Every structure is written in structure tokens, then in C-alpha cells.
Amino acid sequence: LLKFAVGSAGLQANFRKNGATDPNPANHLYAPLLATFQEYLQQLRDLGYAPRVEALFWLQGENDTGSDASLY
């Protein structure tokens, strides 16, 4: 289980691959999410494991409540 967690982040504002809407680029989290997982996977490889990603679990809080679903 590999974890990446950020409080007060929304899908549209922070996690879209291209075009996150948060005006602060430091809050665009798609690239850091991928980099973190690549780092985790490399650490496992360095320990002699052969990790394989089989699933992704996403838990979204209330930050996107009321957002227009068509934006996703």
C-alpha cells in the first residue's frame, strides 16, 4: 500500500493532469503524485522486490462538493 495524501485538495483544482485550476502552480499535485509513487516503487525495487501496481484507491473528501461533474 502506497500513500499520497493532501488535505484541502480537490480533483479539478489540484489533480488534473493538464489544466489544474488552482492559480498557484505549487498546488498542482498530479506530477508530485506520480513522482512520489515512482520513488516508492524504486525503493521497493532497490530492496529486491518486483512491485506491480494492480489498483488505485481514491478517497475524495468534501472539497469537491457542489462542483460541476462535467468538469471531470
Side-chain angles (χ1 to χ4, degrees):
L1 180 63
L2 310 176
K3 181 179 178 181
F4 184 85
V6 177
S8 299
L11 287 173
Q12 179 175 341
N14 307 104
F15 282 99
R16 290 177 59 186
K17 182 177 182 179
N18 296 309
T21 59
D22 190 302
N24 182 352
N27 293 331
H28 295 189
L29 301 171
Y30 183 82
L33 167 74
L34 293 183
T36 298
F37 277 98
Q38 290 300 329
E39 181 180 327
Y40 288 152
L41 294 172
Q42 188 58 53
Q43 289 175 8
L44 289 169
R45 288 184 197 103
D46 291 346
L47 292 170
Y49 294 98
R52 192 174 76 214
V53 177
E54 294 189 18
L56 171 72
F57 173 77
W58 184 278
L59 176 63
Q60 182 64 37
E62 70 279 354
N63 246 29
D64 287 322
T65 302
S67 294
D68 182 353
S70 68
L71 298 173
Y72 303 105

